[in-house]
Amino acid sequence: MLNQAQAEQFQIEYLQPVEKREDAKSSWGQDIKEGLSQSPKTIPPKYFYDDQGSQLFEQICELPEYYPTRTEASILRKYAEEIVERTGICELVELGSGSSTKTRLLLDAYHQQNEVFKYMPIDVSAGILKESAIQLKQDYNSLEIKGLVGTYEQALTQLKPSAWPARMIFFLGSSIGNFSEAGYDNFLNKIAQVLENGDYFLLGIDLQKPKSTLEPAYNDSKGITAAFNLNMLTHLNNKFGGNFDVNNFKHQAIYNEERKQIEMYLLSEREQKISLEKLDLKVKLNKGEKILTEMSRKFNIEETRDKLESKKLKTIKVFTDENKWFALMLCQFSK
């Protein structure tokens, strides 16, 4: 429990739908209806993250095969103090915070400055966000926390101007790779719209590397990634009144070398009829038919630098590990 002084510097806010209230009901689940009605079928990766999905992802991050988390953490461990030196004390806004485990490496470095600073974790999972935010407030007495429950789009649309001298939005864990090219471009546009002149953006990107390294990271021996992928169907059942039977599906993850991306699928192992009652949707799946649940694009530093520059996000410094498997790109917005 937080004491009174800690509670005064702690808030959790639930973000409103991006659509107008009168339009929100009609658009609810529209992305599911569109994704499952097209060919090939898709489900947006945001539906991974109910509370169970978020907990499974935390377990994935601890797997020996899943190199991104430990590699990014090693970069933060080595360079967090330099990042603080370059940005100074500022308002920290994290997109997709989860349990904020790696974030602590940054928070430790800011905390060492012995000044009050603000952290705004944003996540779709209210349970894990509130639990981690309370723990952080207990551990960092100089930290002011305002957690936001919602999607990236909601957060970037509703984020209010900062009262701090500077703001740094950070997006760790290579989640930027989940966007299509158009989504990637739109996301960076929204980042640029939120930032003021002199504000910062810290982006984590998973770099291109051999298939022999990439595929095991998404097909772990314990089956945690498979459980994470299949849990999406349970989430849809609960949210939309679905009748998905997870026993009729198989997890599959492959590296598409031409497109430089991991593609994660749910493979239908039999012919079946799916219904989502709350969406008034009925779908037929053939045996062997795949539903794309995630793509994870792998990046090139120079191409990413050019892309960021086109959005007025100038790269100040690129931090990488010794294998050059992963990179953190610290940028500053300049109109």
Side-chain angles (χ1 to χ4, degrees):
M1 293 290 292
L2 301 178
N3 60 39
Q4 184 174 350
Q6 290 172 329
E8 288 174 356
Q9 291 188 311
F10 177 85
Q11 287 179 276
I12 295 288
E13 178 182 335
Y14 288 78
L15 298 173
Q16 296 298 313
V18 174
E19 306 89 353
K20 295 180 181 178
R21 288 183 183 273
E22 58 268 25
D23 297 333
K25 187 174 181 180
S26 63
S27 64
W28 187 66
Q30 187 62 33
D31 51 0
I32 292 294
K33 294 174 77 171
E34 291 175 356
L36 291 179
S37 299
Q38 66 187 21
S39 183
K41 293 178 172 56
T42 63
I43 300 174
K46 71 180 184 182
Y47 291 103
F48 282 130
Y49 299 102
D50 60 353
D51 286 347
Q52 175 67 10
S54 294
Q55 290 170 6
L56 285 168
F57 185 71
E58 294 300 321
Q59 293 177 43
I60 288 171
C61 292
E62 297 175 3
L63 293 168
E65 299 98 329
Y66 195 72
Y67 66 85
T69 301
R70 66 173 180 272
T71 306
E72 186 179 38
S74 72
I75 297 170
L76 283 168
R77 200 170 288 112
K78 186 174 182 179
Y79 295 110
E81 290 185 8
E82 182 177 345
I83 291 171
V84 174
E85 288 173 6
R86 289 178 178 272
T87 67
I89 292 295
C90 56
E91 178 184 77
L92 304 175
V93 179
E94 181 174 15
L95 300 174
S97 56
S99 66
S100 302
T101 303
K102 286 176 299 188
T103 310
R104 284 175 172 268
L105 297 168
L106 265 181
L107 297 181
D108 284 345
Y110 282 100
H111 187 62
Q112 287 173 12
Q113 302 302 308
N114 295 317
E115 293 184 43
V116 173
F117 62 107
K118 184 175 182 179
Y119 173 52
M120 297 180 69
I122 298 163
D123 204 274
V124 294
S125 174
I128 198 166
L129 185 142
K130 187 172 183 179
E131 181 182 336
S132 61
I134 289 174
Q135 188 60 54
L136 287 173
K137 186 58 204 166
Q138 291 173 333
D139 295 343
Y140 298 93
N141 56 18
S142 61
L143 184 62
E144 177 184 329
I145 298 181
K146 183 176 182 179
L148 302 178
V149 180
T151 65
Y152 307 147
E153 183 181 16
Q154 288 172 305
L156 294 175
T157 302
Q158 300 176 45
L159 206 57
K160 296 178 176 64
S162 176
W164 293 72
R167 163 184 280 165
M168 181 171 77
I169 296 178
F170 57 106
F171 196 31
L172 303 178
S174 75
S175 295
I176 191 72
N178 299 150
F179 292 118
S180 65
E181 184 60 38
Y184 174 37
D185 191 71
N186 185 51
F187 173 80
L188 292 179
N189 283 337
K190 290 183 183 299
I191 292 290
Q193 288 166 7
V194 170
L195 295 178
E196 297 290 341
N197 205 39
D199 283 348
Y200 300 94
F201 179 48
L202 182 65
L203 176 64
I205 57 172
D206 197 7
L207 301 176
Q208 294 167 10
K209 59 185 70 65
K211 179 179 181 177
S212 58
T213 301
L214 287 166
E215 286 195 346
Y218 296 84
N219 292 285
D220 65 276
S221 58
K222 291 184 177 180
I224 307 285
T225 309
F228 172 71
N229 198 11
L230 290 163
N231 181 71
M232 176 184 272
L233 301 179
T234 303
H235 184 196
L236 294 185
N237 285 346
N238 295 334
K239 192 175 184 69
F240 299 115
N243 69 336
F244 284 105
D245 183 343
V246 296
N247 295 312
N248 293 337
F249 291 86
K250 182 180 178 181
H251 162 76
Q252 185 181 76
I254 59 170
Y255 182 55
N256 186 322
E257 295 189 81
E258 182 180 350
R259 295 188 176 183
K260 308 295 184 190
Q261 64 188 31
I262 284 283
E263 295 170 357
M264 200 151 77
Y265 296 97
L266 289 168
L267 176 69
S268 177
E269 296 198 291
R270 53 172 288 184
E271 184 178 302
Q272 51 188 313
K273 293 181 180 179
I274 304 300
S275 66
L276 294 165
E277 290 186 6
K278 293 180 181 178
L279 299 179
D280 192 26
L281 178 67
K282 289 181 169 46
V283 176
K284 179 183 176 182
L285 289 171
N286 297 318
K287 183 177 180 180
E289 188 170 2
K290 297 178 181 180
I291 303 173
L292 177 67
T293 56
E294 181 182 74
M295 62 178 182
S296 182
R297 299 163 65 214
K298 307 307 170 185
F299 292 86
N300 171 279
I301 289 175
E302 289 69 30
E303 290 174 358
T304 307
R305 193 198 311 265
D306 291 343
K307 183 74 170 181
L308 292 165
E309 184 75 30
S310 74
K311 307 300 180 182
K312 303 186 185 306
L313 293 162
K314 182 180 179 182
T315 301
I316 299 173
K317 181 80 181 279
V318 179
F319 306 96
T320 62
D321 59 288
E322 60 182 16
N323 294 320
K324 294 197 164 130
W325 281 2
F326 202 93
L328 285 174
M329 303 185 71
L330 179 62
C331 310
Q332 188 167 32
F333 181 69
S334 179
K335 295 181 181 178

